Amino acid sequence: NSLSISPTTAIQSPLQIFVRAKKRINDIYGEVEQYVNDSCKFLLVLPNDSDLITKEELLVVNSHVEKVKGIREVLSRDHMKVAFFGRTSNGKSTVINSMLRERILPSGIGHTTNCFIQVEKSENDESYLISEDSAERKNVKSVSQLAHSLCTGSLGDSALVRVYWPTDKCPLLRDDVVLVDSPGIDVSPNLDSWIDRHCLDADVFVLVANSESTLMLTEKNFFFKVSARLSKPNVFVLNNRWDASASEPEYLEEVRRQHLLRTVDFLVDELKVCGTRTEAEQRVFFVSAKEVLQARINEFKGLPMNTGIVTDGFHGRYFEFQDFERKFEECISKSAVRTKFDQHTKRGKAIVGDTRNVMEILLDRASTKRAAKSQSRREVLDHLDFTEKQLQLVTVEMKDKICKMVEEVEHKVSKAL
Ligand code: GTP
Ligand code: MG
């Protein structure tokens, strides 16, 4: 029953953890910017000879203005990044297309993807690409046009092409997820440069394995290199092409057990990215990206999910893909909040703390100055008081003297008469 399969556009997507955190930290940094800018403006209009602020203190606040501006820029561009790796033709591009619910990336038999392709949201409604070798925006309307643009480029396999895509069909893009497709790890000698250029800021890695074979050494070695550069990367393993198992139902359970065992060994004992086997089991999925993509394209067109012949176990595989998406979303949003915002939160606190310190020192100095001024004013007033009283005394004394003198003169005059 196709109605029972709800799409992953659930209202409460775990991606909202990141989306909300990003909005909140952006708002807070807006306030921090206002505070630092206001403080700086205030300090700059203080008279030069006021002795209230030193050059060094002014420099501290001034440098924070630039710093906050830079952090705000980084914050507005922050996103959650997931990178897909695996051998050629395991279905990396098809997995990404299924998650995006649309055939965006070229896929096909043989070696298809020949450079890194990063799909991210387009701010306007247009789809276009920008490649590393030019600043030109090339419009792309269809997957064949995109494939053509990628073929004609003379880029190496470590180069990056950014594809900007409208978000109307792709909730992941709307919620700031950026998906990076890669060429097969078995066809390139440049794995170190791949890691330097594309992996260090990834929040989640998805190894797209082929369930028709087994995990290969090339795949394992690549992830050993990744985990040597990043502490405990988040790794999911998709055993893709699991629809093939339907043709051999008698081996299905056994093959699944064997793949699971080996993959869990790899994640826990060899790569050491999961602490326990239970934790690792939550990172391994058996899916068919091709089926999911077709089902979602049908669904979008208003057709039943599975037109034509339904391969046995389709619903189970579809559910498992959705389960992967849910766990992936939880993992990526929590990890991105931690790695991207933790540092900015600490820096924001330090910036506000420094600025407040300078303003408090300034306030202290201003209060001391005012106190000193009012003290000297009080002294002058006291002195005036005293002088006035002295004057009064003197005046009284003089009056007495003059009176006496007048009396004396009067007396003498009366005698003379
Ligand atoms: P490169 O870009 O060449 O490294 O390959 P890729 O890993 O991106 O594989 P791609 O998505 O191009 O898929 C290769 C072929 O496998 C295509 O013909 C897909 O249709 C097919 N394919 C992908 N996923 C599945 C699946 O789950 N089941 C089956 N049966 N075929 C699949
Ligand atoms: Mg590909």
Side-chain angles (χ1 to χ4, degrees), residues 22-191:
K22 181 172 167 177
K23 182 171 179 331
R24 183 100 184 87
I25 195 166
N26 268 300
D27 290 350
I28 292 172
Y29 257 93
E31 287 172 27
V32 172
E33 187 169 44
Q34 182 94 42
Y35 171 57
V36 175
N37 286 355
D38 285 355
S39 304
C40 190
K41 265 188 222 155
F42 178 75
L43 296 181
L44 285 172
V45 296
L46 285 177
N48 282 341
D49 56 351
S50 64
D51 289 340
L52 287 171
I53 188 103
T54 65
K55 268 191 188 138
E56 290 72 31
E57 286 156 353
L58 185 61
L59 209 67
V60 168
V61 180
N62 219 346
S63 71
H64 285 341
V65 171
E66 282 307 305
K67 229 180 267 172
V68 172
K69 209 168 137 200
I71 295 175
R72 288 206 77 189
E73 253 175 56
V74 173
L75 276 175
S76 68
R77 276 186 278 112
D78 260 343
H79 50 230
M80 298 171 266
K81 176 169 158 182
V82 47
F84 295 78
F85 292 99
R87 278 179 305 129
T88 304
S89 285
N90 279 4
K92 300 175 292 294
S93 307
T94 313
V95 167
I96 298 177
N97 285 341
S98 325
M99 292 175 81
L100 295 173
R101 300 161 177 273
E102 215 182 330
R103 221 170 249 125
I104 297 175
L105 298 170
S107 68
I109 48 172
H111 169 42
T112 315
T113 310
N114 54 17
C115 65
F116 279 77
I117 308 174
Q118 174 163 317
V119 189
E120 55 195 282
K121 76 171 161 205
S122 159
E123 296 296 349
N124 46 43
D125 273 343
E126 285 163 31
S127 44
Y128 57 92
L129 66 84
I130 300 176
S131 61
E132 263 182 341
D133 57 348
S134 89
E136 189 201 346
R137 280 182 176 203
K138 290 186 201 151
N139 282 328
V140 272
K141 291 270 172 284
S142 65
V143 65
S144 58
Q145 229 181 359
L146 178 62
H148 182 71
S149 304
L150 295 172
C151 272
T152 50
S154 53
L155 302 160
D157 63 21
S158 306
L160 179 72
V161 171
R162 290 167 191 269
V163 176
Y164 295 84
W165 207 259
T167 58
D168 46 355
K169 275 192 231 167
C170 311
L172 282 182
L173 297 183
R174 198 169 48 228
D175 284 345
D176 275 340
V177 177
V178 163
L179 301 97
V180 180
D181 194 8
S182 63
I185 40 182
D186 45 340
V187 295
S188 173
N190 300 323
L191 301 185

Side-chain angles (χ1 to χ4, degrees), residues 173-372:
L173 297 183
R174 198 169 48 228
D175 284 345
D176 275 340
V177 177
V178 163
L179 301 97
V180 180
D181 194 8
S182 63
I185 40 182
D186 45 340
V187 295
S188 173
N190 300 323
L191 301 185
D192 290 319
S193 119
W194 284 15
I195 293 170
D196 285 343
R197 299 182 64 181
H198 306 293
C199 296
L200 301 181
D201 63 340
D203 299 293
V204 167
F205 295 88
V206 178
L207 165 58
V208 182
N210 185 349
S211 61
E212 289 168 292
S213 61
T214 187
L215 268 190
M216 299 273 177
L217 212 57
T218 35
E219 290 163 320
K220 287 187 173 184
N221 283 342
F222 177 74
F223 277 91
F224 285 135
K225 277 174 186 284
V226 171
S227 76
R229 299 292 303 277
L230 289 163
S231 78
K232 262 197 159 196
N234 296 306
V235 182
F236 284 79
V237 181
L238 291 183
N239 287 294
N240 193 34
R241 307 174 84 96
W242 190 232
D243 49 314
S245 66
S247 59
E248 295 176 27
E250 63 277 26
Y251 300 119
L252 192 141
E253 279 311 316
E254 200 189 316
V255 173
R256 187 181 171 120
R257 234 191 333 269
Q258 191 189 57
H259 280 329
L260 186 64
L261 192 74
R262 286 188 184 167
T263 316
V264 169
D265 282 349
F266 172 59
L267 293 175
V268 179
D269 303 327
E270 298 171 47
L271 206 54
K272 296 187 172 57
V273 291
C274 293
T276 63
R277 298 187 76 81
T278 324
E279 186 192 334
E281 278 164 16
Q282 301 292 308
R283 292 287 173 91
V284 186
F285 301 86
F286 292 80
V287 295
S288 167
K290 190 178 174 176
E291 282 178 342
V292 174
L293 176 60
Q294 195 51 54
R296 287 181 171 173
I297 289 172
N298 288 347
E299 194 185 35
F300 186 76
K301 288 183 188 155
L303 299 169
M305 275 185 141
N306 33 32
T307 48
I309 305 156
V310 184
T311 318
D312 273 352
F314 163 77
H315 286 97
R317 288 188 294 275
Y318 193 101
F319 276 128
E320 197 151 340
F321 196 88
Q322 280 189 316
D323 191 26
F324 153 67
E325 289 178 309
R326 187 89 191 166
K327 293 199 171 108
F328 152 79
E329 287 179 10
E330 254 167 39
C331 175
I332 198 168
S333 63
K334 285 186 186 155
S335 158
V337 167
R338 210 171 29 243
T339 55
K340 309 240 144 87
F341 301 151
D342 192 42
Q343 207 56 16
H344 290 322
T345 311
K346 286 191 183 121
R347 288 184 74 192
K349 269 188 182 168
I351 287 170
V352 173
D354 283 356
T355 312
R356 204 185 63 186
N357 272 350
V358 171
M359 298 311 277
E360 272 175 2
I361 290 171
L362 172 69
L363 183 67
D364 259 11
R365 284 189 197 133
S367 318
T368 317
K369 258 198 165 178
R370 184 186 297 158

